[in-house]
Amino acid sequence: MPFHVSSDEFERIVTLALDSISPPLRARMNADNLMIIVQSEPGDDDRDDDIDESVLGYYQGGTGSVFSAYEYPKRIVLLQHHIEDWCESYAELVDQVTDTVLHEVAHYFGMGHDDIRQTRLRH
Ligand SMILES: [Zn+2]
């Protein structure tokens, strides 16, 4: 049973998750104008044919290879409904949002999934 909240409430949880990131890292994200975007569902323009309901969020931009032609600012997209689908309580939602934000922020800082496992962040 998905646990749904309003988009305002969801963004408040995202803000809390971002607050858990250490200030030096957050300063780098801010200086780089990294955008954190909440979407209810993947958009038509997301270019990602492989986004299914198991994808909770993703990072776009700045890898220097795959997205080298990408014109948008670097951004982390969080898929609210996909995240909510995995949660049955407010506490689970907070945990899942935090995990997803930290996972995508790790990608932003250039970490691959092997590195992320080492930091014990879940996919
Ligand atoms: Zn990942």
Side-chain angles (χ1 to χ4, degrees):
M1 181 70 86
F3 186 84
H4 288 294
V5 295
S6 68
S7 54
D8 281 355
E9 183 62 25
F10 194 88
E11 288 185 8
R12 207 178 66 80
I13 298 170
V14 171
T15 301
L16 288 175
L18 290 169
D19 283 346
S20 74
I21 297 170
S22 73
L25 294 183
R26 263 191 297 154
R28 279 174 59 183
M29 293 158 61
N30 289 338
D32 205 21
N33 292 318
L34 176 65
M35 298 170 65
I36 314 285
I37 295 168
V38 176
Q39 290 182 187
S40 53
E41 306 279 353
D44 290 338
D45 63 343
D46 282 326
R47 298 188 184 194
D48 290 73
D49 298 327
D50 55 349
I51 293 181
D52 61 28
E53 63 277 3
S54 70
V55 175
L56 307 186
Y58 49 91
Y59 167 66
Q60 285 183 319
T63 62
S65 52
V66 180
F67 292 113
S68 59
Y70 206 73
E71 294 175 4
Y72 292 100
K74 296 171 190 173
R75 59 183 190 157
I76 288 171
V77 178
L78 302 169
L79 299 174
Q80 179 175 351
H81 290 177
H82 289 192
I83 293 173
E84 288 171 341
D85 283 347
W86 291 90
C87 301
E88 295 187 346
S89 68
Y90 187 84
E92 282 184 26
L93 186 61
V94 170
D95 277 354
Q96 192 61 68
V97 168
T98 303
D99 277 0
T100 304
V101 167
L102 296 182
H103 182 105
E104 302 311 331
V105 166
H107 280 317
Y108 165 74
F109 283 109
M111 295 171 72
H113 285 139
D114 288 346
D115 301 319
I116 292 174
R117 259 195 292 282
Q118 282 164 18
T119 64
R120 296 165 56 182
L121 296 180
R122 283 184 282 135
H123 182 64

